[in-house]
Every structure is written in C-alpha cells, then in structure tokens.
Amino acid sequence: MIVALVVLVAPRVTAWKAGALELAVSWGVEFLQLSGVPAELSRHSVAARLILGSIFDAPDLFWYAVGALAGRLGVASRRAGGRWTSLSARKAPAGSRTRPRKVP
C-alpha cells in the first residue's frame, strides 16, 4: 500500500526508489515499535494501532522486504505496459482522429 501512495504522490519516481521508500517507511515504523511510543498511542487509538502496531517483531522485517520487492516489481510491470501514463502524455497513433465524430 505504501508503494501505491508513493507513486500517487510522486508519479515520476522510479520503481527502485518507490520500493526503497516503501521499505524505509515500513522498517522505520517497525523499529519505532522498539520504543514505547506506538504501544502507548495504540492504547488510546484504534487508528494508531492499525497504522503503527504495538510490538516489535523481527520476522516482519523480512516480510516488509518481500513486500517492497513485490511493490517495486508491480510498479515496473505496470509502467512497462504503459498503463500508468496520463492520458495527456499519450500520443495518438498516426492517422487516428483526435476529436470524436459528430453524430447527426
């Protein structure tokens, strides 16, 4: 989900940078759990519990890396297919009409 937010906020970011930022944010939140701040916030807010968690779990670091790699591959594959380019950036094929026909 983080990689989707990264691409939404900065659409021209490379797939590698999007994946790296996703991993940095995920690991940052996980290591923040070593302090008591997320646990304390989680006691008072359901949103904080869902976003920050409450306890550190080392195996999560591996799975965050797997997720970042999957996000990076997803961004790269979508961009290779040209699906994430804006409509204004796409060029019409030669000989195609750029305006719709008027129907009588």
Side-chain angles (χ1 to χ4, degrees):
M1 186 165 91
I2 294 172
V3 76
L5 293 173
V6 169
V7 172
L8 183 66
V9 171
R12 293 180 185 250
V13 70
T14 65
W16 279 110
K17 286 182 183 177
L21 188 57
E22 175 184 13
L23 185 61
V25 169
S26 299
W27 279 9
V29 169
E30 190 69 26
F31 282 116
L32 181 66
Q33 292 171 355
L34 289 171
S35 72
V37 175
E40 182 62 31
L41 292 173
S42 294
R43 286 188 210 129
H44 303 291
S45 169
V46 174
R49 188 176 324 129
L50 293 173
I51 295 170
L52 299 176
S54 58
I55 56 173
F56 177 80
D57 190 19
D60 285 349
L61 299 174
F62 170 75
W63 292 111
Y64 290 144
V66 170
L69 179 61
R72 181 250 176 252
L73 293 174
V75 169
S77 69
R78 294 288 276 179
R79 288 187 176 165
R83 299 185 194 278
W84 282 7
T85 57
S86 67
L87 292 176
S88 61
R90 293 182 186 165
K91 295 193 179 196
S96 67
R97 297 179 58 98
T98 56
R99 287 186 263 175
R101 292 183 184 184
K102 292 185 179 181
V103 179

